[in-house]
Amino acid sequence: QLVAYEVKRMKAEEGNKQKILRHIKELAEKLYKNENPYPAVTMHKVQKPTEGCHLRLHQKPFPRLDEGTVQWIIDQATAKLQTAPPAVRAEKKCMVPSGPPIAAILERNGNALANSARRLEVVRNCISYVFENKMLEAKKLFPAVLRAMKGRAARHCLTQELHLHVQQNRAVLDHQQFDFVIRMMNCCLQDCTAMDEHGIAAALLPLVTAFCRKLSPGITQFAYSCVQEHV
């Protein structure tokens, strides 16, 4: 800008020191504003008294505060707060339409309920195959079980079925069984929402401390060591 617009002005000012200084001052202000577009917030630092300062003889007594002045400052601040606009915008309330009657929904969802029942059956069968060591059959159903874990009913079914096997003292698993159970638990916890925290996740807690496998004589690995990373 200087080169483009102010060459004539600078030539005219060459002989006049006051004009040059005023021009420099204007430039300085422009540059400063460019670097500091927002006014700096002044921070009042209260200095800590130095060590041994209480032993000095020339200490000034603390000045007496004027009650009227203090009250005036408080009143000013209170008045400002009262006139300040609210920080949070008030939520706009709106009416939600009621939608179709429940009977119509149930008729429409007849197929969905049947599908849900089939999914639960698949989960039960897969868990039975795992504990009966029918690993080929379990492998065939496994992808369907992992897909079913998207639904809360299937997650709930998994916890119930595993609980039954713990009650039957079938918590010590071989390596393949342990792997299947861990993968199902991980998938179940991965699809859990905050709503499931005190339901599904809580139901899994006693199970992950029960199911285990023997790694070598005297060394046992429990299921929680493989699923404890979930929120």
Side-chain angles (χ1 to χ4, degrees):
Q1 279 180 333
L2 279 175
V3 173
Y5 305 118
E6 309 218 3
V7 177
K8 284 179 185 175
R9 182 181 166 180
M10 286 164 78
K11 277 184 180 174
E13 287 171 356
E14 272 176 5
N16 192 331
K17 280 190 179 180
Q18 282 184 332
K19 281 185 179 178
I20 290 171
L21 282 171
R22 194 168 70 233
H23 192 199
I24 288 169
K25 202 173 180 182
E26 284 171 17
L27 276 174
E29 279 177 11
K30 278 184 188 175
L31 289 169
Y32 182 79
K33 280 179 184 172
N34 187 56
E35 293 296 317
N36 305 281
Y38 303 106
V41 180
T42 52
M43 296 290 284
H44 298 289
K45 288 187 180 178
V46 180
Q47 290 184 331
K48 284 185 180 177
T50 53
E51 284 180 27
C53 69
H54 60 284
L55 301 172
R56 290 180 194 155
L57 298 170
H58 58 278
Q59 267 190 313
K60 288 181 183 178
F62 190 80
R64 188 171 177 77
L65 296 175
D66 179 31
E67 195 179 333
T69 310
V70 172
Q71 190 57 50
W72 179 79
I73 292 167
I74 291 168
D75 292 342
Q76 290 278 93
T78 310
K80 270 187 185 175
L81 283 172
Q82 284 171 352
T83 54
V88 182
R89 282 186 297 177
E91 285 183 23
K92 287 183 181 177
K93 292 181 181 179
C94 60
M95 289 296 291
V96 179
S98 57
I102 289 169
I105 294 169
L106 287 174
E107 283 170 21
R108 209 182 324 143
N109 288 358
N111 291 337
L113 290 170
N115 284 342
S116 180
R118 274 201 294 275
R119 282 198 197 106
L120 299 188
E121 195 58 37
V122 166
V123 172
R124 288 192 192 100
N125 288 343
C126 185
I127 292 169
S128 297
Y129 290 147
V130 167
F131 283 93
E132 288 163 15
N133 257 324
K134 297 177 179 175
M135 289 306 166
L136 273 174
E137 282 87 342
K139 270 183 187 172
K140 286 175 192 170
L141 293 181
F142 204 64
V145 170
L146 298 188
R147 280 197 302 275
M149 286 299 137
K150 298 279 180 201
R152 185 174 293 153
R155 297 199 287 270
H156 189 61
C157 176
L158 175 78
T159 59
Q160 285 179 320
E161 289 296 309
L162 292 177
H163 185 67
L164 289 173
H165 287 288
V166 169
Q167 285 179 324
Q168 294 164 11
N169 291 328
R170 298 168 78 180
V172 181
L173 311 172
D174 66 27
H175 295 302
Q176 219 173 354
Q177 287 173 322
F178 188 80
D179 183 51
F180 269 98
V181 170
I182 290 299
R183 283 169 71 189
M184 281 191 275
M185 283 179 170
N186 267 323
C187 190
C188 176
L189 285 168
Q190 184 181 311
D191 290 315
C192 275
T193 62
M195 289 166 73
D196 298 322
E197 189 176 336
H198 303 294
I200 311 293
L204 277 175
L205 272 178
L207 300 174
V208 298
T209 55
F211 285 110
C212 60
R213 64 172 167 179
K214 302 280 183 196
L215 293 179
S216 63
I219 296 174
T220 305
Q221 182 188 15
F222 284 90
Y224 67 80
S225 63
C226 303
V227 301
Q228 60 193 4
E229 297 302 316
H230 293 277
V231 178

